[in-house]
Amino acid sequence: MSNHQNTPAEAEIDLREELQKYLRYWPWFLACIIAAVAACFVVLKFMTPVYPTTATILIKEEDKNPTSGLEAFTELGMLGGMNTNSIENEIGILRSYRLMENVVKELDLNVRYFSEGFFQDKELYGTSPVTAQVLSLDREKFMDLEDTGASSFRIELKNDNSLEVFRLSDERKYKADFNEPVNLGFATVSFRRNEHSADLEGALFLSLNLPEKVADAYQEELQVQLVEKNASLIELQLQDPVREKARDILDQLVREYNREAIEDKNLLALNTADFINERLGIINEELATVETGKVEFKENNKLTDLQAESQVFLTSATENKKRQQELATQIELADAMLEFMQNGSSSGLLPANLGIDENMANEEINSYNELILERNRILKGSTEKNPVIITLNEQIAELKQNIHHSLTRLRANLKIAQDNLNRETALIGSKIAAVPVKEMEYRNIERQQQIKESLYLFLLQKREDNSLSLAATAPKAKIVDHARSSDAPVSPKPKIMYLAALILGMLVPFLIIYLKNLLNNKVRSRHDLETDLKNFPILGELPKITKNNPELIQRNDRSMLAEAFRILLHNLQYLVKSSSKTNGTCIMVTSSIKGEGKTFTSFNLAITLAHSGKSVILLGADLRNPQLQRFIPESTGYRGISDYLVDPELGLEELIKPSGQHESFDILASGSIPPNPTELLNRPAMKTLIEKLEDLYDYVIIDSAPTMPVVDSFLITEHVDLNLYVVRANYTDRKLLDFVAHAKEEGKLENIGLILNGLDTSEFGYGNKYGYTYGEETVPLWKRLTRKAAFWSL
């Protein structure tokens, strides 16, 4: 057995048929698309467009040149030579709630103004004719009234230049004057005129909120990200319906960030300045004491030019004295630093770069200050329990201990060097033994004076450097691109929404039709019969009859129904011609279940045969549920087949009645409803009756009972020449077709021809598919759409 494969032509036909299932409903597609697009248009009118606003900043790198005079401040958290963690810290600071709250308070973003619009209210940012300043706010009352909408108000300007404020939740009215405080229950507000905006026309709406909640909302909307992975360029983005407000928020955020960064960088300089000023005061007092002692010594000993007298002796000691001064200065600085560390705060900054000649100590002091500043910055947005703070505290404590050890070790080394130098000086002093003791005392006094003067001048220079650094502090973030907004909204996007509406408008009817077809297990078209009953001839297709069309064919009828029965009669002839009978032809019309159109088909087939010049008689063989009275109401009183089968001696001329439709068309009614119809139909008299009628008429049409509920039709089929099996579109279950196939296989029904009844106009024949309707006038498009709409129900 070879597998059948579809050729390209067959595949094309299948695709065309599938498309035809949906194309016939094109008005529904068009209506849904129009409705979806219209709904999208209305939705867009009610949606507030949201615009993206971006700003770009550069975190500037720090000058590391130690000769710049600012080396004491290079480790204050600036991002020069930053690694990834440092950049992430700066991004975290920019996204912090604290900065956003400062922005909200600075711009008064917790107070919003709206004007009423046709589709939606418009926010008046910076253009409101009336502005409100919140003088005080009761947080607890606000939280209690927030859920009731009590924070929204309507403002109206009266002729007396006063204001009436209505609370929207309960229309409570407040009388207010410009520049005068008014109590709104949970807040005290002062209203002012905005001289830079137009006058108030109509109502103005005011909304108050807590700055904390507004900051939370904008913090969630703010996006901060690196422009490139290995760069220090940071992009800030904010989406908001009011572009001017979004630009102000981003610009103010950068200003707040720079302000705090400058404060952090100045913190070390301020602490250093305090330390230098304190040491200058102490040195100044000590220097004054030494100079006073020098004057008194000279006066008491009447000394004038000691330099000339001791020049020879001091030549060899010049270098030693210079070295002694340097060592004394270093020891003094080391003592001062140790005293500062002992008496100062455990979390305070240490003076940096005071001139201590110990690189390791200076590096440790700089690292210590850097950790102090980093901890203080993180503490602004965290607590002492933060693991990062705990780690930093441990590092600070360890580093402070290392600094103390380094300074102690440095002081010990300096003392050793000083002792060695003193012994060397003592050796030289033996050579100047002749110099009076007073001269030596004078030199000691002078030496102390020089030490104090050099230290004093050194601290004055450092103070000037520190002041210069404090005055020259630059912003940390350089603005590369000021905040700018896009003209195209990020949402809603009209093109995308219209495209989605178009797709939805097509998808909804498509899905409905698809699900309808998927769930519909009824016979819908000729294709279903050809698929399920491949070896059964289909003799005709009958259109669905609407309320405005007659069910029976009339004389000279050129309707679609009449043409369908003419085609049926034409196809019928091929099966009838194959018979060798010389008398009339007997045709039985049956179906699977009730309601498929047996009587309708039988009656119109008989009328069509009569119109073609044939003599026809229609038998009502459904003895259980007679149906001929549907078209001939008076037939309910006729005697008929059941009476004849009970008493075959009855004359047929008494039982046969004219149909009233055509002179060549008679009927033989069912007669009285018997208690045993199956036994009557199984009698030989039934065969005799059919044979007699075949001798009298060209065609004998039998309207029989349905085959599935009862066996009556199977008792008649052996006496007929042709079985017409009626299947009703959108009524007959496709599973019932298996019963027809099994009946033929078992020999219960032979010589069967199928008739598909009740087809919708969209499924019927070639006239609809190819635009040819025999005998009908051309109808305008709008009328055809109106007619077809009755069939296109989903």
Side-chain angles (χ1 to χ4, degrees):
M1 180 177 179
S2 61
N3 294 328
H4 176 70
Q5 296 181 350
N6 290 335
T7 64
E10 290 173 337
E12 181 181 354
I13 294 174
D14 293 340
L15 178 60
R16 187 185 301 116
E17 290 295 333
E18 288 298 320
L19 289 176
Q20 187 65 26
K21 293 179 182 179
Y22 301 96
L23 292 178
R24 68 173 61 98
Y25 297 103
W26 67 266
W28 288 106
F29 281 91
L30 180 61
C32 289
I33 290 174
I34 293 174
V37 172
C40 180
F41 175 80
V42 175
V43 169
L44 285 173
K45 289 297 182 181
F46 283 97
M47 292 183 68
T48 302
V50 178
Y51 299 91
T53 302
T54 58
T56 306
I57 62 175
L58 172 66
I59 306 300
K60 293 189 295 185
E61 295 186 358
E62 183 182 354
D63 186 8
K64 291 285 188 177
N65 185 7
T67 64
S68 63
L70 304 178
E71 65 276 8
F73 314 107
T74 56
E75 300 298 329
L76 297 182
M78 294 182 67
L79 299 179
M82 291 177 294
N83 55 27
T84 304
N85 292 332
S86 298
I87 284 289
E88 291 176 352
N89 289 339
E90 300 306 318
I91 291 176
I93 293 174
L94 285 167
R95 293 193 59 190
S96 66
Y97 167 80
R98 176 176 47 82
L99 279 185
M100 186 57 71
E101 185 180 17
N102 293 340
V103 171
V104 170
K105 292 179 179 179
E106 186 69 24
L107 299 178
D108 288 332
L109 298 180
N110 58 312
V111 184
R112 303 173 67 191
Y113 311 91
F114 298 90
S115 63
E116 190 173 13
F118 182 78
F119 289 102
Q120 55 184 319
D121 294 340
K122 178 183 178 182
E123 183 173 356
L124 303 176
Y125 177 75
T127 60
S128 173
V130 176
T131 60
Q133 182 181 8
V134 180
L135 303 178
S136 63
L137 188 144
D138 191 326
R139 185 183 181 88
E140 294 182 359
K141 289 184 178 180
F142 180 86
M143 297 297 291
D144 294 337
L145 297 175
E146 185 180 18
D147 295 337
T148 65
S151 60
S152 298
F153 301 88
R154 183 178 74 255
I155 303 174
E156 296 180 359
L157 180 61
K158 294 304 177 182
N159 296 329
D160 58 355
N161 205 25
S162 63
L163 297 174
E164 285 188 351
V165 183
F166 298 88
R167 190 160 63 187
L168 297 183
S169 60
D170 54 7
E171 286 298 320
R172 181 177 178 180
K173 183 172 68 174
Y174 300 89
K175 185 74 173 179
D177 293 320
F178 285 108
N179 301 320
E180 294 295 333
V182 56
N183 189 354
L184 301 180
F186 61 89
T188 302
V189 179
S190 175
F191 294 97
R192 300 177 181 179
R193 283 187 179 275
N194 187 354
E195 302 297 337
H196 303 288
S197 66
D199 293 336
L200 179 62
E201 295 182 1
L204 175 69
F205 294 92
L206 170 69
S207 176
L208 300 178
N209 209 332
L210 293 175
E212 296 86 350
K213 291 197 172 183
V214 178
D216 280 333
Y218 281 113
Q219 184 190 20
E220 292 180 2
E221 292 294 330
L222 178 66
Q223 297 181 11
V224 184
Q225 57 188 0
L226 282 173
V227 175
E228 294 183 6
K229 183 177 180 181
N230 297 321
S232 56
L233 281 172
I234 296 178
E235 181 183 75
L236 312 176
Q237 186 178 85
L238 185 66
Q239 297 178 0
D240 195 83
V242 184
R243 286 173 284 187
E244 296 82 0
K245 180 165 67 173
R247 291 195 292 266
D248 289 348
I249 291 174
L250 293 184
D251 289 340
Q252 185 64 34
L253 182 66
V254 175
R255 285 193 288 269
E256 293 292 332
Y257 173 79
N258 278 333
R259 181 182 61 79
E260 291 204 355
I262 291 174
E263 291 178 356
D264 288 342
K265 287 190 289 185
N266 287 339
L267 183 60
L268 176 59
L270 292 173
N271 280 275
T272 303
D274 293 340
F275 173 77
I276 291 175
N277 290 329
E278 180 183 354
R279 298 307 301 172
L280 280 174
I282 297 173
I283 298 298
N284 188 42
E285 292 179 358
E286 293 177 353
L287 183 59
T289 302
V290 172
E291 290 178 344
T292 302
K294 180 179 179 181
V295 171
E296 292 177 351
F297 182 83
K298 280 188 174 184
E299 290 177 351
N300 294 333
N301 295 278
K302 299 179 181 181
L303 297 177
T304 55
D305 189 5
L306 294 177
Q307 182 68 30
E309 297 177 3
S310 60
Q311 182 65 38
V312 176
F313 304 106
L314 296 178
T315 300
S316 59
T318 301
E319 294 298 327
N320 287 350
K321 291 179 181 179
K322 182 179 180 181
R323 179 58 181 162
Q324 283 178 332
Q325 292 175 0
E326 292 176 354
L327 291 175
T329 300
Q330 291 296 316
I331 292 172
E332 186 75 13
L333 290 175
D335 291 337
M337 183 63 73
L338 289 171
E339 180 182 358
F340 180 82
M341 290 182 63
Q342 182 176 358
N343 299 330
S345 174
S346 62
S347 61
L349 297 170
L350 298 179
N353 297 300
L354 294 178
I356 297 175
D357 293 334
E358 176 62 34
N359 293 332
M360 181 175 295
N362 288 329
E363 290 177 358
E364 290 176 343
I365 291 173
N366 290 334
S367 299
Y368 176 87
N369 289 335
E370 180 182 5
L371 291 176
I372 290 293
L373 290 174
E374 183 69 15
R375 184 194 63 180
N376 292 341
R377 289 176 61 194
I378 296 176
L379 277 176
K380 293 181 180 180
S382 179
T383 64
E384 289 288 345
K385 296 182 180 180
N386 191 321
V388 176
I389 298 299
I390 296 174
T391 302
L392 288 175
N393 287 334
E394 294 175 354
Q395 295 176 359
I396 289 170
E398 182 180 357
L399 193 56
K400 186 173 182 180
Q401 185 177 4
N402 292 339
I403 294 172
H404 189 275
H405 290 165
S406 297
L407 292 175
T408 304
R409 184 176 62 255
L410 174 63
R411 186 179 181 281
N413 294 336
L414 290 174
K415 281 292 185 180
I416 294 172
Q418 189 180 41
D419 292 339
N420 293 334
L421 189 61
N422 289 336
R423 285 192 296 271
E424 185 178 350
T425 302
L427 181 62
I428 296 174
S430 64
K431 296 179 181 181
I432 55 174
V435 178
V437 177
K438 295 181 180 178
E439 177 68 16
M440 295 180 62
E441 293 178 0
Y442 178 78
R443 289 302 179 187
N444 287 332
I445 295 173
E446 192 176 48
R447 187 184 309 114
Q448 292 296 324
Q449 180 186 12
Q450 291 175 355
I451 292 174
K452 301 298 181 182
E453 285 180 351
S454 62
L455 182 59
Y456 184 78
L457 294 175
F458 175 81
L459 290 177
L460 284 178
Q461 182 63 39
K462 284 298 179 180
R463 186 173 66 176
E464 292 301 319
D465 293 343
N466 190 64
S467 299
L468 179 62
S469 301
L470 188 62
T473 302
K476 186 175 186 179
K478 177 182 178 181
I479 299 177
V480 178
D481 289 323
H482 286 279
R484 66 190 187 279
S485 301
S486 172
D487 293 332
V490 68
S491 69
K493 293 186 178 293
K495 292 183 179 180
I496 295 179
M497 291 191 64
Y498 278 122
L499 178 61
L502 180 64
I503 295 174
L504 183 64
M506 297 178 63
L507 188 61
V508 169
F510 173 82
L511 290 177
I512 293 176
I513 295 170
Y514 175 78
L515 291 176
K516 176 189 173 185
N517 293 335
L518 183 66
L519 299 177
N520 187 5
N521 60 349
K522 308 296 182 183
V523 176
R524 290 171 290 177
S525 64
R526 182 188 184 101
H527 177 73
D528 294 340
L529 289 181
E530 292 173 344
T531 302
D532 295 347
L533 299 175
K534 296 182 179 179
N535 298 324
F536 286 70
I538 301 175
L539 300 181
E541 299 172 83
L542 305 181
K544 184 178 180 180
I545 304 301
T546 61
K547 295 180 179 180
N548 298 327
N549 295 327
E551 289 188 282
L552 298 180
I553 298 173
Q554 309 299 319
R555 288 184 181 272
N556 301 321
D557 197 339
R558 302 176 65 185
S559 65
M560 188 180 295
L561 178 64
E563 291 301 325
F565 271 96
R566 292 189 185 104
I567 295 173
L568 171 62
L569 181 59
H570 177 74
N571 294 335
L572 196 66
Q573 300 300 323
Y574 290 99
L575 295 179
V576 173
K577 287 180 180 179
S578 62
S579 175
S580 60
K581 292 179 60 177
T582 57
N583 54 355
T585 302
C586 182
I587 301 173
M588 184 179 73
V589 181
T590 187
S591 68
S592 299
I593 58 176
K594 179 183 177 181
E596 292 180 294
K598 298 182 298 299
T599 304
F600 165 79
T601 303
S602 302
F603 223 98
N604 281 295
L605 178 60
I607 294 175
T608 304
L609 287 168
H611 288 165
S612 67
K614 305 296 182 180
S615 60
V616 184
I617 185 170
L618 176 60
L619 277 65
D622 189 353
L623 304 184
R624 302 172 185 268
N625 186 19
Q627 292 295 320
L628 292 184
Q629 64 268 21
R630 175 182 169 189
F631 301 109
I632 306 177
E634 60 271 17
S635 65
T636 56
Y638 294 165
R639 289 190 299 169
I641 295 177
S642 61
D643 300 289
Y644 178 82
L645 295 177
V646 173
D647 185 8
E649 300 299 326
L650 290 174
L652 290 178
E653 64 277 1
E654 298 179 10
L655 303 178
I656 297 174
K657 304 293 181 181
S659 65
Q661 299 293 326
H662 196 278
E663 58 275 8
S664 299
F665 174 22
D666 296 331
I667 66 168
L668 179 57
S670 301
S672 304
I673 298 178
N676 53 347
T678 303
E679 296 178 3
L680 291 179
L681 293 174
N682 200 28
R683 292 181 179 180
M686 185 62 190
K687 179 179 180 181
T688 303
L689 174 62
I690 293 175
E691 291 175 349
K692 289 181 179 181
L693 294 175
E694 288 177 341
D695 292 335
L696 297 174
Y697 294 91
D698 295 328
Y699 285 91
V700 178
I701 308 298
I702 300 177
D703 178 24
S704 68
T707 57
M708 288 193 68
V710 294
V711 73
D712 297 0
S713 296
F714 293 124
L715 300 176
I716 303 174
T717 184
E718 60 184 19
H719 308 310
V720 303
D721 301 311
L722 178 64
N723 291 292
L724 298 183
Y725 207 95
V726 180
V727 177
R728 185 174 178 180
N730 298 315
Y731 182 83
T732 303
D733 197 318
R734 293 185 67 170
K735 293 182 179 180
L736 300 181
L737 300 181
D738 294 338
F739 175 79
V740 183
H742 293 157
K744 182 178 180 181
E745 292 175 0
E746 296 170 359
K748 295 179 180 179
L749 290 174
E750 297 181 353
N751 201 15
I752 301 176
L754 301 178
I755 297 175
L756 183 57
N757 179 36
L759 274 175
D760 288 340
T761 306
S762 58
E763 296 280 1
F764 179 72
Y766 300 104
N768 182 67
K769 293 182 180 179
Y770 298 101
Y772 181 75
T773 52
Y774 179 78
E776 293 187 2
E777 61 179 347
T778 303
V779 182
L781 176 62
W782 67 272
K783 288 187 177 180
R784 280 185 277 137
L785 292 179
T786 303
R787 292 177 183 177
K788 290 182 179 181
F791 301 97
W792 292 332
S793 60
L794 299 178

